[in-house]
Amino acid sequence: DGTVLRAANNELKKDKEVVLAAVTQNGSALEYAADNMKADREVVLAAVAKDGASMKFATEDLKSDKNFVLTAISKSCMALEYAAASLKADEVVVAAATKNNTALHVPAGPLKADKEVVLTAVTQEAESLHGATGPLKVDKEVGSAAVTQNGHAANCIDETAPMWADEEFVLSMAKLTGGVLEIDQYADWCKADAQWNTPSTKNALALNS
């Protein structure tokens, strides 16, 4: 178990071979390594590859190093959460983290509430909308971006979202989804509005008469 490093003497905590062995088993063991090991790129990357959250134990210099952070997030997108604030706002870094993330998720923690991060995520993988915080799940711009990437993403938008009462938004969604938008449950006004009363539009929106 890599956490045995906690009980090791100071000399062993400075030993790269020992620390590498420990973090390879348990990334969080980096917490108990000596400062020189927390500044060692190879050691920190090995820890991050095992547990992205171990990035929080790296030195501030590494957390502020753009090239290092880009490498770290290629191991685990979670590493971005612990990078320097300036890099969390860097478009290249955020895009790399988002691209590396799995479907249905956006980067961990506070980034889920970051509109720019979520927009980047849904532009690449529409179903990332599932991983956004509540307010962004009902954000018109985010919803449009997700549906533009994949029409089926319309079904990821909360059916109680105010945007479904916006005729312009619903019409644009109908065009983007190419006939997969099931709007009947969202907006009663659709049935009564003349612009929806053509067979082709009803069919595209799956409206019942």
Side-chain angles (χ1 to χ4, degrees):
D1 184 349
T3 57
V4 297
L5 190 61
R6 175 171 48 184
N9 62 45
N10 290 335
E11 289 306 310
L12 289 177
K13 290 180 179 180
K14 296 177 183 178
D15 187 300
K16 184 170 181 174
E17 185 177 352
V18 171
V19 174
L20 268 175
V23 300
T24 299
Q25 292 181 5
N26 187 329
S28 64
L30 184 61
E31 178 180 5
Y32 308 109
D35 289 345
N36 66 315
M37 291 294 95
K38 294 178 180 178
D40 187 291
R41 292 169 180 261
E42 183 182 0
V43 170
V44 175
L45 288 176
V48 169
K50 192 68 176 179
D51 179 359
S54 64
M55 180 72 172
K56 62 186 172 185
F57 303 121
T59 62
E60 294 305 313
D61 283 346
L62 287 183
K63 291 177 182 178
S64 301
D65 185 315
K66 183 172 179 176
N67 289 332
F68 177 78
V69 170
L70 282 169
T71 303
I73 60 180
S74 73
K75 306 290 184 182
S76 171
C77 60
M78 188 181 296
L80 180 58
E81 186 172 352
Y82 303 99
S86 59
L87 293 180
K88 289 182 181 180
D90 185 286
E91 291 184 6
V92 174
V93 173
V94 170
T98 304
K99 183 177 181 179
N100 185 50
N101 215 347
T102 56
L104 308 184
H105 294 282
V106 294
L111 294 175
K112 290 186 175 185
D114 186 310
K115 185 172 180 177
E116 291 306 312
V117 171
V118 175
L119 275 171
T120 299
V122 300
T123 298
Q124 296 175 0
E125 172 53 68
E127 291 187 336
S128 293
L129 185 59
H130 283 296
T133 57
L136 290 179
K137 286 182 177 178
V138 296
D139 183 274
K140 188 184 297 187
E141 184 180 3
V142 171
S144 296
V147 175
T148 298
Q149 200 280 328
N150 185 329
H152 290 278
N155 296 314
C156 297
I157 302 173
D158 191 319
E159 64 186 61
T160 64
M163 66 183 79
W164 289 122
D166 183 321
E167 296 186 33
E168 182 179 354
F169 175 79
V170 174
L171 183 58
S172 67
M173 290 300 96
K175 293 177 179 177
L176 286 172
T177 56
V180 300
L181 181 62
E182 297 179 356
I183 199 62
D184 183 54
Q185 59 188 328
Y186 300 134
D188 290 338
W189 58 261
C190 290
K191 297 179 183 179
D193 196 295
Q195 69 173 312
W196 306 106
N197 286 330
T198 65
S200 59
T201 303
K202 286 184 176 181
N203 181 61
L205 294 173
L207 281 171
N208 296 318
S209 299

